[in-house]
Amino acid sequence: TSFGFKTVPEESKESLVKGVFDSVASKYDLMNDASSLGVHRLWKDSLIDTLKPGRKGPLRCIDVAGGTGDIALRILDHARENYADRETTVEIVDINAQMLKEGFTRFKKTMYHNTPQVSFHEGNAQELPPSQFKDDSYDLYTITFGIRNCTSIPAVLREAYRVLKPGATFACLEFSKVNNPLLSTLYDQYSFTVIPLLGTILAGDRDSYQYLVESIRKFPSQPEFAQMIRDAGFSTGGDFDGGAWTDLWGGIASIHTGVKV
Ligand code: SAM
């Protein structure tokens, strides 16, 4: 395509997820705001606050399942606004060309357009093409609200570990498990009724949003996911927050970090 996307061989099991995001791509940002009442923005800001990209100098970042580039934009803005850093780069990788296209269009309105600071790549988180995404080459790997859509979480973590430099950081923001029973009940009500309804009204696509809600249910709990991160070879805890993860809003979402040892 005109974006210079490099296509990787695609597995058939991924086609469902691709279809889901194809059908929601153009409405994705709107739906994100509507379904989370804008809260996903605060959570993304929390992730950036945790990581403070640029604090220790320019970073080479990879944002996987990067979609329309929310995290990439925040990383670049944070580095520039706080540390006058215009050398940090973010490579946005997503399996879905439609999402990348939305992101590309959005970045046209920013100062990063047509600079080496941002680039868009079509690819599968579970098998990043090694010729393009080399071993030991990134300072920061981020994945937000993306890993739960992947068929194999261990495969994603293995690839994250492979492409990060030793000592570099893995960070994941994802929907998680609510511990408080009252909050959990309210949240269930909300996600199984309000979100598919909003999907129907705003995007004309109830099934895709139903799928997204169900994928949240199936995702491992915070301690289980932290163990998977350690199983991939990362150390967790102590680096950013004194633990392997930080719950946001009682565990509706959580931030997990790991360091490649
Ligand atoms: N990170 C963005 C954000 O936080 O706004 C987008 C999140 S969106 C809910 C999930 C994204 O994951 C979609 O853009 C989808 O195309 C992408 N995705 C799903 N499976 C993937 C895979 N196996 N490899 C790469 N991207 C994938």
Side-chain angles (χ1 to χ4, degrees):
T1 75
S2 56
F3 306 102
F5 298 158
K6 298 195 178 78
T7 311
V8 291
E10 176 200 324
E11 291 184 28
S12 57
K13 59 190 171 189
E14 260 82 57
S15 59
L16 167 77
V17 174
K18 265 190 112 156
V20 167
F21 286 101
D22 262 340
S23 69
V24 301
S26 64
K27 302 273 174 45
Y28 178 76
D29 291 330
L30 171 69
M31 272 304 298
N32 241 357
D33 277 334
S35 60
S36 76
L37 307 172
V39 172
H40 74 107
R41 292 168 185 263
L42 303 179
W43 292 337
K44 287 169 178 168
D45 292 345
S46 296
L47 175 70
I48 300 300
D49 278 350
T50 303
L51 300 172
K52 300 194 176 18
R55 187 167 59 100
K56 294 181 184 164
L59 299 176
R60 183 165 180 212
C61 310
I62 181 168
D63 182 40
V64 178
T68 56
D70 265 16
I71 294 301
L73 192 54
R74 278 175 173 74
I75 288 174
L76 295 176
D77 279 348
H78 184 90
R80 180 178 54 83
E81 288 165 7
N82 296 283
Y83 315 108
D85 167 6
R86 290 297 311 266
E87 285 169 53
T88 285
T89 61
V90 187
E91 291 163 50
I92 302 172
V93 183
D94 200 284
I95 203 168
N96 187 293
Q98 283 304 116
M99 294 292 279
L100 290 168
K101 211 169 154 182
E102 292 291 324
F104 184 84
T105 305
R106 174 185 190 189
F107 267 81
K108 274 186 178 167
K109 292 175 223 136
T110 72
M111 66 182 80
Y112 310 113
H113 177 59
N114 259 337
T115 76
Q117 285 198 276
V118 67
S119 57
F120 298 84
H121 310 266
E122 198 176 324
N124 188 338
Q126 294 162 178
E127 38 184 338
L128 299 170
S131 57
Q132 196 183 351
F133 304 100
K134 297 196 165 55
D135 295 4
D136 305 329
S137 43
Y138 295 91
D139 302 297
L140 175 63
Y141 175 112
T142 48
I143 184 163
T144 70
F145 304 116
I147 201 165
R148 75 173 190 284
N149 299 305
C150 296
T151 328
S152 167
I153 297 170
V156 175
L157 295 172
R158 193 161 57 234
E159 282 293 79
Y161 191 85
R162 180 180 71 74
V163 300
L164 281 170
K165 293 174 187 171
T169 301
F170 164 86
C172 174
L173 166 62
E174 189 50 272
F175 288 108
S176 222
K177 297 279 182 263
V178 177
N179 292 315
N180 178 299
L182 178 60
L183 180 61
S184 176
T185 307
L186 291 172
Y187 177 58
D188 278 349
Q189 293 293 328
Y190 176 75
S191 47
F192 283 109
T193 56
V194 179
I195 292 180
L197 187 64
L198 282 173
T200 312
I201 297 168
L202 296 177
D205 185 356
R206 186 185 178 92
D207 290 350
S208 289
Y209 281 91
Q210 186 73 40
Y211 158 79
L212 292 180
V213 171
E214 282 167 11
S215 69
I216 295 171
R217 302 293 125 164
K218 293 194 192 118
F219 195 70
S221 68
Q222 289 86 324
E224 286 165 344
F225 185 45
Q227 188 55 50
M228 294 173 96
I229 294 169
R230 284 190 289 273
D231 289 346
F234 293 100
S235 76
T236 61
D239 299 288
F240 294 98
D241 47 32
W245 71 85
T246 308
D247 280 340
L248 303 169
W249 287 43
I252 293 180
S254 67
I255 294 171
H256 284 252
T257 55
V259 172
K260 176 166 173 173
V261 285

